[in-house]
PDB file of all heavy atoms in Angstrom:
ATOM      1  N   TRP A 200    -132.750   9.690 -30.914  1.00 96.00           N
ATOM      2  CA  TRP A 200    -131.882   8.517 -31.033  1.00 96.00           C
ATOM      3  C   TRP A 200    -132.314   7.631 -32.194  1.00 96.00           C
ATOM      4  O   TRP A 200    -131.487   7.162 -32.973  1.00 96.00           O
ATOM      5  CB  TRP A 200    -131.881   7.714 -29.732  1.00 96.00           C
ATOM      6  CG  TRP A 200    -130.932   6.553 -29.791  1.00 96.00           C
ATOM      7  CD1 TRP A 200    -131.220   5.261 -30.133  1.00 96.00           C
ATOM      8  CD2 TRP A 200    -129.521   6.595 -29.570  1.00 96.00           C
ATOM      9  NE1 TRP A 200    -130.092   4.489 -30.114  1.00 96.00           N
ATOM     10  CE2 TRP A 200    -129.028   5.281 -29.771  1.00 96.00           C
ATOM     11  CE3 TRP A 200    -128.631   7.602 -29.201  1.00 96.00           C
ATOM     12  CZ2 TRP A 200    -127.678   4.962 -29.621  1.00 96.00           C
ATOM     13  CZ3 TRP A 200    -127.288   7.281 -29.055  1.00 96.00           C
ATOM     14  CH2 TRP A 200    -126.828   5.987 -29.270  1.00 96.00           C
ATOM     15  N   LEU A 201    -133.619   7.408 -32.334  1.00 96.00           N
ATOM     16  CA  LEU A 201    -134.101   6.542 -33.407  1.00 96.00           C
ATOM     17  C   LEU A 201    -133.856   7.152 -34.782  1.00 96.00           C
ATOM     18  O   LEU A 201    -133.792   6.435 -35.779  1.00 96.00           O
ATOM     19  CB  LEU A 201    -135.590   6.255 -33.211  1.00 96.00           C
ATOM     20  CG  LEU A 201    -135.944   5.500 -31.916  1.00 96.00           C
ATOM     21  CD1 LEU A 201    -137.448   5.296 -31.814  1.00 96.00           C
ATOM     22  CD2 LEU A 201    -135.219   4.162 -31.848  1.00 96.00           C
ATOM     23  N   ALA A 202    -133.686   8.476 -34.828  1.00 95.00           N
ATOM     24  CA  ALA A 202    -133.353   9.144 -36.090  1.00 95.00           C
ATOM     25  C   ALA A 202    -131.848   9.226 -36.320  1.00 95.00           C
ATOM     26  O   ALA A 202    -131.402   9.789 -37.322  1.00 95.00           O
ATOM     27  CB  ALA A 202    -133.952  10.548 -36.103  1.00 95.00           C
ATOM     28  N   GLY A 203    -131.068   8.677 -35.396  1.00 95.00           N
ATOM     29  CA  GLY A 203    -129.616   8.661 -35.559  1.00 95.00           C
ATOM     30  C   GLY A 203    -128.913   9.868 -35.002  1.00 95.00           C
ATOM     31  O   GLY A 203    -127.720  10.066 -35.274  1.00 95.00           O
ATOM     32  N   VAL A 226    -124.761   9.038 -44.696  1.00 87.00           N
ATOM     33  CA  VAL A 226    -125.996   9.574 -44.117  1.00 87.00           C
ATOM     34  C   VAL A 226    -126.753   8.530 -43.309  1.00 87.00           C
ATOM     35  O   VAL A 226    -127.497   8.859 -42.376  1.00 87.00           O
ATOM     36  CB  VAL A 226    -126.910  10.138 -45.230  1.00 87.00           C
ATOM     37  CG1 VAL A 226    -126.269  11.358 -45.860  1.00 87.00           C
ATOM     38  CG2 VAL A 226    -127.214   9.076 -46.284  1.00 87.00           C
ATOM     39  N   TRP A 227    -126.570   7.254 -43.648  1.00 92.00           N
ATOM     40  CA  TRP A 227    -127.298   6.202 -42.957  1.00 92.00           C
ATOM     41  C   TRP A 227    -126.563   5.687 -41.726  1.00 92.00           C
ATOM     42  O   TRP A 227    -127.133   4.927 -40.929  1.00 92.00           O
ATOM     43  CB  TRP A 227    -127.522   5.015 -43.894  1.00 92.00           C
ATOM     44  CG  TRP A 227    -126.296   4.588 -44.661  1.00 92.00           C
ATOM     45  CD1 TRP A 227    -125.953   4.950 -45.927  1.00 92.00           C
ATOM     46  CD2 TRP A 227    -125.232   3.746 -44.174  1.00 92.00           C
ATOM     47  NE1 TRP A 227    -124.747   4.384 -46.285  1.00 92.00           N
ATOM     48  CE2 TRP A 227    -124.286   3.642 -45.223  1.00 92.00           C
ATOM     49  CE3 TRP A 227    -124.984   3.074 -42.983  1.00 92.00           C
ATOM     50  CZ2 TRP A 227    -123.116   2.887 -45.098  1.00 92.00           C
ATOM     51  CZ3 TRP A 227    -123.821   2.333 -42.852  1.00 92.00           C
ATOM     52  CH2 TRP A 227    -122.905   2.244 -43.900  1.00 92.00           C
ATOM     53  N   ALA A 228    -125.305   6.076 -41.535  1.00 91.00           N
ATOM     54  CA  ALA A 228    -124.483   5.474 -40.481  1.00 91.00           C
ATOM     55  C   ALA A 228    -125.059   5.720 -39.094  1.00 91.00           C
ATOM     56  O   ALA A 228    -125.134   4.800 -38.269  1.00 91.00           O
ATOM     57  CB  ALA A 228    -123.055   6.010 -40.575  1.00 91.00           C
ATOM     58  N   GLY A 229    -125.467   6.961 -38.829  1.00 92.00           N
ATOM     59  CA  GLY A 229    -125.981   7.277 -37.505  1.00 92.00           C
ATOM     60  C   GLY A 229    -127.187   6.441 -37.139  1.00 92.00           C
ATOM     61  O   GLY A 229    -127.285   5.902 -36.030  1.00 92.00           O
ATOM     62  N   ARG A 230    -128.119   6.289 -38.095  1.00 95.00           N
ATOM     63  CA  ARG A 230    -129.329   5.527 -37.797  1.00 95.00           C
ATOM     64  C   ARG A 230    -129.025   4.045 -37.633  1.00 95.00           C
ATOM     65  O   ARG A 230    -129.572   3.387 -36.734  1.00 95.00           O
ATOM     66  CB  ARG A 230    -130.361   5.743 -38.909  1.00 95.00           C
ATOM     67  CG  ARG A 230    -131.692   5.092 -38.639  1.00 95.00           C
ATOM     68  CD  ARG A 230    -132.775   5.617 -39.551  1.00 95.00           C
ATOM     69  NE  ARG A 230    -133.005   7.046 -39.335  1.00 95.00           N
ATOM     70  CZ  ARG A 230    -133.981   7.718 -39.937  1.00 95.00           C
ATOM     71  NH1 ARG A 230    -134.782   7.120 -40.794  1.00 95.00           N
ATOM     72  NH2 ARG A 230    -134.135   9.003 -39.693  1.00 95.00           N
ATOM     73  N   VAL A 231    -128.134   3.515 -38.457  1.00 94.00           N
ATOM     74  CA  VAL A 231    -127.791   2.087 -38.350  1.00 94.00           C
ATOM     75  C   VAL A 231    -127.142   1.801 -37.006  1.00 94.00           C
ATOM     76  O   VAL A 231    -127.515   0.835 -36.305  1.00 94.00           O
ATOM     77  CB  VAL A 231    -126.863   1.671 -39.501  1.00 94.00           C
ATOM     78  CG1 VAL A 231    -126.258   0.288 -39.232  1.00 94.00           C
ATOM     79  CG2 VAL A 231    -127.619   1.658 -40.816  1.00 94.00           C
ATOM     80  N   PHE A 232    -126.178   2.623 -36.606  1.00 92.00           N
ATOM     81  CA  PHE A 232    -125.503   2.400 -35.327  1.00 92.00           C
ATOM     82  C   PHE A 232    -126.458   2.613 -34.160  1.00 92.00           C
ATOM     83  O   PHE A 232    -126.373   1.913 -33.145  1.00 92.00           O
ATOM     84  CB  PHE A 232    -124.295   3.332 -35.211  1.00 92.00           C
ATOM     85  CG  PHE A 232    -123.055   2.794 -35.859  1.00 92.00           C
ATOM     86  CD1 PHE A 232    -122.882   2.858 -37.238  1.00 92.00           C
ATOM     87  CD2 PHE A 232    -122.052   2.220 -35.097  1.00 92.00           C
ATOM     88  CE1 PHE A 232    -121.728   2.356 -37.836  1.00 92.00           C
ATOM     89  CE2 PHE A 232    -120.895   1.715 -35.693  1.00 92.00           C
ATOM     90  CZ  PHE A 232    -120.738   1.781 -37.069  1.00 92.00           C
ATOM     91  N   ALA A 233    -127.362   3.583 -34.290  1.00 95.00           N
ATOM     92  CA  ALA A 233    -128.308   3.845 -33.209  1.00 95.00           C
ATOM     93  C   ALA A 233    -129.236   2.653 -33.000  1.00 95.00           C
ATOM     94  O   ALA A 233    -129.473   2.211 -31.862  1.00 95.00           O
ATOM     95  CB  ALA A 233    -129.123   5.105 -33.522  1.00 95.00           C
ATOM     96  N   TRP A 234    -129.778   2.113 -34.067  1.00 96.00           N
ATOM     97  CA  TRP A 234    -130.679   0.972 -33.954  1.00 96.00           C
ATOM     98  C   TRP A 234    -129.927  -0.278 -33.520  1.00 96.00           C
ATOM     99  O   TRP A 234    -130.467  -1.118 -32.782  1.00 96.00           O
ATOM    100  CB  TRP A 234    -131.404   0.734 -35.276  1.00 96.00           C
ATOM    101  CG  TRP A 234    -132.568   1.669 -35.455  1.00 96.00           C
ATOM    102  CD1 TRP A 234    -132.516   2.941 -35.939  1.00 96.00           C
ATOM    103  CD2 TRP A 234    -133.930   1.420 -35.119  1.00 96.00           C
ATOM    104  NE1 TRP A 234    -133.776   3.503 -35.943  1.00 96.00           N
ATOM    105  CE2 TRP A 234    -134.671   2.583 -35.454  1.00 96.00           C
ATOM    106  CE3 TRP A 234    -134.611   0.333 -34.585  1.00 96.00           C
ATOM    107  CZ2 TRP A 234    -136.041   2.694 -35.248  1.00 96.00           C
ATOM    108  CZ3 TRP A 234    -135.985   0.427 -34.380  1.00 96.00           C
ATOM    109  CH2 TRP A 234    -136.679   1.595 -34.718  1.00 96.00           C
ATOM    110  N   ALA A 235    -128.683  -0.406 -33.958  1.00 95.00           N
ATOM    111  CA  ALA A 235    -127.876  -1.548 -33.517  1.00 95.00           C
ATOM    112  C   ALA A 235    -127.610  -1.483 -32.020  1.00 95.00           C
ATOM    113  O   ALA A 235    -127.697  -2.501 -31.314  1.00 95.00           O
ATOM    114  CB  ALA A 235    -126.557  -1.591 -34.285  1.00 95.00           C
TER     115      ALA A 235
END
Side-chain angles (χ1 to χ4, degrees):
W200 184 266
L201 298 179
V226 293
W227 47 264
R230 185 165 297 186
V231 168
F232 275 79
W234 280 84

